[in-house]
Amino acid sequence: MIIHEVIREVTTSATDSYAIQLGAFKLKANADAFRKKFAALLDKEVEIFVENGFYKVRITGFGSRKEVDDYIPLLKRNDVNEMWMITLKGMQNIG
């Protein structure tokens, strides 16, 4: 399995959170079908985000990196060969 890692800073939260991106699609219908498949398999929220002209399917709601790591075997068993692990670094909004 290929795992890409991305870290983003967010000012909307003071705590870190994690997400797994499973795919990015040009067609919304393809993203919807992919989302439905994984939503039926997992006990986490599977959402679609629109960025840069793509519909990105992500599993959200992870509170720790260990929790993300625990999901990897399940994803491998369901034919996920590549994913993006996204760390959202919580930043204190000082204003």
Side-chain angles (χ1 to χ4, degrees):
M1 172 180 277
I2 299 170
I3 302 173
H4 307 276
E5 294 197 38
V6 176
I7 298 173
R8 295 184 180 161
E9 294 180 346
V10 293
T11 58
T12 56
S13 175
T15 59
D16 295 350
S17 62
Y18 302 83
I20 297 172
Q21 183 170 304
L22 299 173
F25 303 87
K26 279 290 200 183
L27 297 176
K28 187 176 187 307
N30 292 345
D32 284 334
F34 203 72
R35 187 201 65 75
K36 286 179 187 175
K37 172 186 174 182
F38 283 95
L41 294 171
L42 305 174
D43 62 349
K44 293 279 184 196
E45 187 72 32
V46 182
E47 302 179 64
I48 295 175
F49 294 84
V50 181
E51 287 182 339
N52 303 321
F54 287 92
Y55 297 93
K56 298 181 177 184
V57 179
R58 295 181 183 159
I59 307 167
T60 59
F62 295 101
S64 71
R65 174 60 191 259
K66 182 187 178 325
E67 197 177 350
V68 170
D69 291 341
D70 290 345
Y71 263 76
I72 292 173
L74 174 63
L75 297 173
K76 285 172 95 172
R77 285 193 303 273
N78 286 281
D79 301 321
V80 174
N81 298 315
E82 187 171 6
M83 63 177 238
W84 290 82
M85 203 286 295
I86 302 167
T87 301
L88 300 171
K89 298 292 286 177
M91 303 295 292
Q92 193 72 11
N93 191 0
I94 300 171

